[in-house]
Amino acid sequence: MKELVIGFALLVAGCLLLFQLVDDSVLSGIFSLSSTQVTKADRLSVIYINNNCTKHNVTTNELPYHDLHMKWMAEEVTKENYAKANISLEAAYEYVDQIAIQITSQNLFGEKVYCHYFDSNKKKIGEPFESNVFPESVIYCLRRAGTNYVSLTKKPNDTPEYPIPLLDRTMEKPEHYFSVCIAPFFGTEPKWLMIAEFVEWYKLQGATYFYFYLAEMSLYDRIILDDYVRTGEAEVVIMHDRFDRPGDRWHMLEIHDCILRSRAHSKWAAFVDIDERLTMTQYKGTILDYLKNIGDKSIGSIQYRQRWIMKTEDQPEKYINATEVRVRKS
Ligand SMILES: *[C@@H]1O[C@H](CO)[C@@H](O)[C@H](O)[C@H]1NC(C)=O
Ligand SMILES: *[C@@H]1O[C@H](CO)[C@@H](O)[C@H](O)[C@H]1NC(C)=O
Ligand SMILES: *[C@@H]1O[C@H](CO)[C@@H](O)[C@H](O)[C@H]1NC(C)=O
Ligand SMILES: *[C@@H]1O[C@H](CO)[C@@H](O)[C@H](O)[C@H]1NC(C)=O
């Protein structure tokens, strides 16, 4: 229990640090997302198939670390107060110990909201549950038996936003040991070559899964991204809501969401941009080898020191042939 609290505190602290530095556009952090706090009895023997949550039938009675969250809320930890997106539901996750709903708003810090529960036919289950927005774009809710979809409102009797499905994160063991969360794509520079080079680089480092986020991208660049989805090595989260914002302002949401998305799905997740490559320097072996050798369970985050390399030209627009790709490396 205590161990996890420390892990989580590190996670939040790491996240803030990451934010400040990432705004300057480099540093990369890695977060441990193991969830070891639950007792055997709390666990469900569910099989993770197609995110089908109809087998879930668990009700919980308290939110983990609620008092700690209230304390941090009072201290305004993670408060950004940026995008005024009302309540826009992005994704929802069901863990063994709670549900987390990710929204794209960044101006509702600490506000009271209500979680609504629905079955597989989107029929309401029970009364709404009162919670708060914390951290900036996340709402934790109790689990409730039979729930397949969830939604939120500002007042208990408001009409809920159209419900979204719960993604299953109740697995006993993460499917992946080392995954990569990539900052949302935006802007017009061609990215297809960078994507291939990025994915293959991290695969050599032992990563087995990639969470991509997409604010803007050309259809041409999309071809290679979709191909990694086809082979089961990646998923693509579309960053979009009914409110407008500059492309780079999706970044913090990606960090919040990917922590939730990878929790219980991957033991470790790297938080990097598409032009960042992590590598070990004074250690013989891959990043995966290094991670597997971390025995101290109180370590929740590892930060890599950055080195800048000047980029003097844009990426090529189109694939020509294999020779051309090699030649362009100069
Ligand atoms: C989801 O799980 C339920 C219960 O096991 C099953 O009846 C149903 O066919 C599944 N649906 C899908 C889409 O896999
Ligand atoms: C779900 O759990 C409740 C008790 O929490 C039980 O009454 C009900 O029969 C269960 N439903 C299924 C489908 O297992
Ligand atoms: C956002 O919320 C405000 C205040 O409740 C409301 O006036 C406005 O219409 C909402 N905007 C959208 C697009 O839902
Ligand atoms: C590859 O493309 C370059 C540039 O268009 C061209 O000069 C070269 O002949 C091509 N090579 C092959 C093997 O097709």
Side-chain angles (χ1 to χ4, degrees), residues 17-36:
L17 183 59
L18 196 67
F19 176 52
Q20 284 158 15
L21 294 168
V22 161
D23 237 8
D24 260 343
S25 137
V26 182
L27 190 103
S28 320
I30 287 199
F31 295 98
S32 165
L33 300 156
S34 61
S35 63
T36 50

Side-chain angles (χ1 to χ4, degrees), residues 90-113:
E90 193 216 305
Y93 307 92
E94 181 164 35
Y95 307 105
V96 171
D97 54 357
Q98 62 187 337
I99 285 170
I101 304 178
Q102 167 80 33
I103 57 176
T104 55
S105 334
Q106 288 168 280
N107 65 316
L108 302 175
F109 183 94
E111 278 191 31
K112 208 177 266 183
V113 290

Side-chain angles (χ1 to χ4, degrees), residues 49-50 52-55 148:
I49 321 162
N50 299 333
N52 182 351
C53 296
T54 51
K55 285 182 184 170
N148 289 71

Side-chain angles (χ1 to χ4, degrees), residues 320-324:
I320 297 170
N321 59 38
T323 323
E324 181 76 0

Side-chain angles (χ1 to χ4, degrees), residues 196-261:
E197 197 248 315
F198 178 98
V199 170
E200 299 309 321
W201 168 265
Y202 281 99
K203 276 159 72 173
L204 291 175
Q205 291 293 338
T208 50
Y209 200 71
F210 297 82
Y211 308 92
F212 283 105
Y213 290 76
L214 204 164
E216 296 163 5
M217 178 171 255
S218 75
L219 285 175
Y220 189 82
D221 289 339
R222 190 69 203 260
I223 293 169
I224 193 151
L225 205 55
D226 289 348
D227 208 58
Y228 282 121
V229 174
R230 180 183 69 83
T231 53
E233 293 163 291
E235 65 187 72
V236 178
V237 182
I238 310 295
M239 301 307 263
H240 182 75
D241 57 25
R242 59 191 190 277
F243 302 88
D244 206 14
R245 76 185 78 192
D248 60 345
R249 290 304 188 137
W250 292 103
H251 198 160
M252 265 325 278
L253 289 170
E254 174 262 332
I255 292 173
H256 285 306
D257 183 71
C258 212
I259 286 173
L260 296 175
R261 192 171 287 268

Side-chain angles (χ1 to χ4, degrees), residues 66-78:
H66 185 63
D67 294 344
L68 195 57
H69 286 185
M70 294 310 273
K71 178 175 170 278
W72 286 341
M73 221 179 287
E75 289 168 13
E76 304 201 333
V77 173
T78 79

